[in-house]
């Protein structure tokens, strides 16, 4: 694509005819915003005033038909494009790597239908999760999807990364919460999956778009499962002497089918960093916060058995106060002024998931790789285990360097060296590249390492759907 010629006045007019002149934006400030996310790399390069890919134009459609026309426009003029929701990803998944056009879906925030018999809600994909949840709460319902970027991310973004919220141990990932998808394909055609997810009427093709990060199509609408607001939701904290005891206690709770809505285990450093500094805990060890919700009698029965398991694993009951305080303020650590991105530090999250027999090895290999391998930089590693299943769990590791090279090329090399150590520790010990933040640009180079078969299959799908690689190129390691 040419840098200037693609958007001559007649082509601007074509876009304006689709969405209206006020929704075709070329302001430099908007281009800057659309060129960064929460990824350390985008912010670092931006503030270093390094050259970084930017779109030529941002378009704000309000419905699926307008998205289809914009996609057809890009196909005719051979313009690279991508869809963007809240822009709160941390891997460069919504960065316009080859410039071109950004389709910003924030105007597509409508609630189309609330079905109070089957307990579903049909919504446009640009709606912020916070706004969807507030609407449902007013009606007596909840979606129970509460990720850290709850306040800033759109539903379509969560679907595109197959995101996970803090209550996933009971309610699952976003792919467990969506019955039906509407997607604009790269050829401009509309795909709509069958109205139910569990069937034997051919493959469920909607699954192609969960975790595809907007490379196979643009999600415009979703039919989501909802729940009644719980009669009771309780939280309690326990202190374990070490990480191994905490993981084992959590495993026993999950494999025995106790169905906690929340299970969150902090390692020793995270316990100090978060629960001591932010919540006033005065004890050392690993804190596990557990929660149950639903009908009062069922919750109380689940609590009784789960608390007994924790006590059998030498867990010290810290009571409800700390846990309820955490729940009420659960987003605090991820926003200013407490989030690491507010500081001039180097940091990244490398969340992964693995079976129970693998997960602790991955943790210790990552920790060793960071703290010993980069000791000269006083590298810090800490983690919490936050999404549990009856077969395994995930953890959310963070590395932090408060001092790093002033030379941008040396800094970026160091950043990638640390990522290499952490991701390879996961892959080589039975884990995956990422659990819920996505691949984007940050983890591109690992996709072939984790599974050659999956990598080749994704290339086949991409070539079939988007043979010219115009849609969100350079993501998922597809190599366009």
């Amino acid at each position: 694509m040419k840098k200037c010629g693609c958007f001559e006045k007649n082509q601007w007019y074509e876009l304006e005819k689709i969405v209206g002149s006020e929704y075709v934006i070329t302001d430099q400030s908007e281009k800057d915003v659309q060129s960064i996310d929460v990824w350390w790399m985008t912010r670092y390069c931006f503030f270093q005033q390094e050259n970084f890919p930017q779109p030529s134009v941002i378009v704000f459609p309000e419905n699926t038909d307008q998205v289809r026309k914009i996609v057809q426009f890009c196909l005719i003029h051979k313009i690279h494009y991508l869809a963007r929701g809240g822009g709160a990803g941390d891997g460069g998944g919504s960065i316009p790597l080859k410039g071109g056009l950004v389709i910003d879906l924030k105007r597509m925030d409508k609630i189309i239908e609330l079905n109070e018999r089957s307990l579903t809600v049909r919504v446009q994909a640009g709606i912020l999760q916070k706004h969807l949840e507030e609407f449902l709460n007013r009606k007596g319902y909840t979606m129970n999807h509460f990720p850290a970027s709850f306040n800033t991310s759109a539903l379509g973004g969560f679907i595109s990364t197959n995101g996970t919220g803090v209550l996933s141990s009971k309610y699952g990932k976003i792919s467990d919460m969506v019955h039906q998808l509407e997607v604009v394909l790269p050829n401009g055609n509309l795909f709509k999956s069958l109205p139910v997810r569990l069937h034997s009427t051919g493959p469920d093709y909607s699954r192609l778009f969960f975790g595809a990060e907007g490379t196979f199509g643009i999600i415009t609408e979703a039919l989501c499962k909802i729940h009644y607001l719980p009669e009771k939701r309780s939280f309690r904290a326990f202190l374990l002497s070490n990480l191994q005891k905490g993981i084992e206690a959590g495993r026993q709770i999950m494999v025995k089918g106790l169905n906690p809505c929340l299970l969150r285990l902090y390692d020793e450093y995270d316990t100090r960093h978060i629960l001591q500094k932010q919540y006033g805990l005065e004890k050392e060890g690993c804190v596990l916060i557990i929660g149950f919700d639903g009908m009062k009698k069922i919750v109380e029965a689940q609590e009784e058995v789960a608390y007994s398991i924790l006590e059998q694993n030498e867990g010290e009951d810290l009571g409800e106060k700390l846990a309820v305080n955490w729940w009420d303020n659960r987003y605090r650590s991820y926003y200013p002024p407490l989030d690491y991105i507010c500081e001039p530090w180097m940091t990244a999250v490398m969340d992964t998931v693995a079976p129970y027999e693998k997960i602790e090895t991955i943790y210790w290999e990552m920790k060793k790789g960071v703290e010993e391998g980069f000791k000269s930089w006083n590298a810090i590693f800490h983690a919490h285990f936050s999404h549990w299943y009856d077969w395994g769990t995930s953890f959310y590791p963070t590395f932090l360097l408060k001092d790093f090279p002033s030379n941008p090329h040396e800094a970026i090399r160091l950043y990638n060296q640390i990522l290499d150590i952490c991701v390879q520790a996961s892959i080589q010990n039975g884990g995956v590249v990422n659990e819920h933040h996505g691949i984007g640009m940050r983890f591109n180079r690992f996709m072939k390492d984790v599974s050659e078969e999956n990598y080749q299959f994704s290339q086949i799908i991409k070539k079939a759907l988007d043979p010219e690689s115009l849609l969100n190129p350079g993501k998922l390691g597809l190599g366009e």
Side-chain angles (χ1 to χ4, degrees), residues 54-155:
Q54 290 200 327
S56 297
V57 62
I58 303 98
V59 184
F60 294 82
E62 67 172 351
N63 57 50
T64 299
D65 186 57
Q66 289 183 355
V67 174
R68 291 184 66 190
K69 290 177 180 177
I70 296 167
V71 168
Q72 290 164 351
F73 168 88
C74 291
L75 187 61
I76 291 170
H77 297 289
K78 306 299 185 235
I79 297 168
H80 292 105
Y81 65 101
L82 60 85
R84 187 178 173 101
D90 70 349
S94 60
I95 302 305
L97 184 60
K98 295 190 178 182
L101 184 149
V102 169
I103 303 173
D104 192 306
L105 299 179
K106 292 187 184 68
R107 290 179 67 211
M108 295 182 61
D109 61 353
K110 307 300 187 295
I111 294 164
I112 300 168
E113 179 188 15
L114 175 66
N115 185 324
E116 298 187 80
R117 186 166 179 82
S118 296
L119 294 187
T120 59
V121 63
R122 188 179 298 277
V123 294
Q124 290 182 307
I127 191 168
L128 293 183
Q129 192 65 32
K130 172 183 171 67
H131 295 160
L132 175 55
E133 184 68 17
E134 288 172 344
F135 166 81
L136 293 172
N137 290 173
R138 291 193 295 270
K139 301 289 186 178
Y141 304 106
T142 175
M143 193 167 158
N144 283 322
H145 187 58
F146 299 108
S149 59
F150 172 82
N151 294 309
T152 55
S153 288
L155 175 65

Side-chain angles (χ1 to χ4, degrees), residues 29 74 113 145 189 198 215 218 228 251 292 304 344 346 396 413 449 476:
S29 59
C74 291
E113 179 188 15
H145 187 58
N189 289 344
L198 303 177
T215 61
I218 297 176
Y228 293 113
R251 186 194 71 83
F292 292 95
E304 181 181 354
M346 177 186 290
Y396 190 107
R413 183 184 299 111
D449 294 343
L476 286 182

Side-chain angles (χ1 to χ4, degrees), residues 228-269:
Y228 293 113
L229 286 170
E231 181 183 358
K232 179 179 180 179
R233 178 171 281 160
S234 67
F235 301 99
R236 204 169 191 91
F238 288 79
L239 184 70
L240 285 303
S241 59
N242 58 57
L243 192 66
Q244 184 179 29
K245 288 184 181 295
I247 294 174
E248 177 57 19
R251 186 194 71 83
Q252 291 179 21
I253 289 168
M254 294 305 299
V255 300
K256 292 184 178 180
L258 294 175
N259 214 21
C261 61
L262 176 74
L263 202 55
R264 195 173 186 90
L265 173 66
Y266 293 89
D267 71 2
E268 287 91 341
Y269 188 100

Side-chain angles (χ1 to χ4, degrees), residues 199-246:
H199 60 76
S200 183
T201 311
D204 180 5
Y205 296 108
S206 71
R207 302 297 104 179
L208 279 177
F209 303 97
F210 289 91
E213 300 184 33
T215 61
F216 296 162
I218 297 176
I219 298 163
T220 54
E221 188 179 298
L223 179 67
C224 302
K225 174 65 180 171
I226 61 175
H227 306 267
Y228 293 113
L229 286 170
E231 181 183 358
K232 179 179 180 179
R233 178 171 281 160
S234 67
F235 301 99
R236 204 169 191 91
F238 288 79
L239 184 70
L240 285 303
S241 59
N242 58 57
L243 192 66
Q244 184 179 29
K245 288 184 181 295

Side-chain angles (χ1 to χ4, degrees), residues 285-356:
C286 296
V287 167
L288 185 148
I289 299 176
I290 188 169
F292 292 95
D293 65 6
M295 297 178 66
K296 184 174 182 290
K297 288 183 178 180
I298 295 175
V299 167
E300 290 173 351
Q302 291 169 320
E303 288 173 333
E304 181 181 354
V305 180
Y307 297 168
S308 174
I309 289 173
L310 283 159
E311 290 168 1
Q312 290 168 16
N313 283 275
E314 302 177 8
E316 178 186 348
D317 189 347
L318 300 178
E320 298 179 352
K321 185 177 179 181
L322 173 68
V324 171
N325 189 15
W326 176 86
W327 172 256
D328 291 340
N329 297 280
R330 59 192 178 277
Y331 302 123
R332 184 165 64 181
S333 299
Y334 302 102
Y335 293 88
L338 297 176
D339 191 38
Y340 283 165
I341 64 170
C342 301
E343 304 289 348
W345 300 335
M346 177 186 290
T347 187
V349 172
M350 303 79 59
D351 49 296
T352 189
V353 61
Y356 284 115

Side-chain angles (χ1 to χ4, degrees), residues 433-451:
V433 177
N434 198 261
E435 195 274 334
H436 65 273
H437 284 138
I439 301 302
M441 295 164 60
R442 179 175 55 162
F443 295 132
N444 260 345
R445 61 190 183 275
F446 302 110
M447 292 301 284
K448 189 179 291 188
D449 294 343
V450 71
S451 173

Side-chain angles (χ1 to χ4, degrees), residues 344-442:
W345 300 335
M346 177 186 290
T347 187
V349 172
M350 303 79 59
D351 49 296
T352 189
V353 61
Y356 284 115
E357 70 272 15
K358 306 284 189 180
I359 197 70
E360 194 174 349
T361 298
I362 296 173
Y363 169 88
W364 289 112
E365 287 298 311
M366 276 196 191
K367 184 177 177 65
K368 177 183 176 182
V370 171
E371 294 182 344
E372 295 184 13
F374 301 91
K375 189 175 182 179
S376 61
W377 293 102
N378 297 314
I380 296 170
F381 178 92
H382 56 90
H384 62 263
F385 295 70
S386 49
H387 310 295
W388 298 70
Y389 309 99
D390 58 5
W391 51 266
T393 183
S394 73
F395 74 98
Y396 190 107
T398 300
F399 83 76
L400 173 67
L401 270 66
K402 294 186 178 182
D403 182 35
F404 55 90
S406 58
N407 180 282
H409 297 292
E410 293 178 7
I412 291 170
R413 183 184 299 111
L414 177 61
Y415 176 86
N416 283 312
Q417 287 172 342
I418 300 175
L419 283 189
D420 284 351
I421 291 292
C422 292
V423 176
Q424 290 298 340
S426 178
I427 294 173
Q428 293 170 13
N429 291 283
V432 295
V433 177
N434 198 261
E435 195 274 334
H436 65 273
H437 284 138
I439 301 302
M441 295 164 60
R442 179 175 55 162

